[in-house]
Every structure is written in C-alpha cells, then in structure tokens.
Amino acid sequence: METYTAMRHFADSWGLLAMTAFFVGAVLFTLRPGSKQTAQEAADIPLKDD
C-alpha cells in the first residue's frame, strides 16, 4: 500500500500542477497572435472542393 500512497500524493500535488500548466499552455498556444490564419485555414478544409 506504500506505493499507492506515494503515487496518490504525487498526483495530488505535482500531477495537478502539470495538468494546470498544460491547460494554460494550450490556451495560450490557441490564442497567440499568429494563430488566426492557421485556424481559418483549418476551418475552411471541409468547404474546399477536391
């Protein structure tokens, strides 16, 4: 049961911090100034004729 307790404490502290940092990074990556053109191109993919 010692391993379970150690993993639980790790997930409660550093795991939460890592998930929060990943979320903030994903939001900042999505909302960066240069991403508008890339997002528009991706949104237009279904409308393009082959």
Side-chain angles (χ1 to χ4, degrees), residues 26-46:
V27 168
L28 291 176
F29 181 77
T30 304
L31 299 177
R32 73 186 192 282
S35 67
K36 184 173 184 177
Q37 180 64 30
T38 305
Q40 187 61 42
E41 289 173 4
D44 289 339
I45 289 173

Side-chain angles (χ1 to χ4, degrees):
M1 204 54 119
E2 178 91 18
T3 304
Y4 174 77
T5 305
M7 294 299 288
R8 177 66 191 249
H9 285 285
F10 176 78
D12 284 344
S13 58
W14 293 107
L16 180 62
L17 181 64
M19 287 187 290
T20 303
F22 178 79
F23 177 76
V24 169
V27 168
L28 291 176
F29 181 77
T30 304
L31 299 177
R32 73 186 192 282
S35 67
K36 184 173 184 177
Q37 180 64 30
T38 305
Q40 187 61 42
E41 289 173 4
D44 289 339
I45 289 173
L47 304 175
K48 289 182 180 178
D49 292 328
D50 288 332

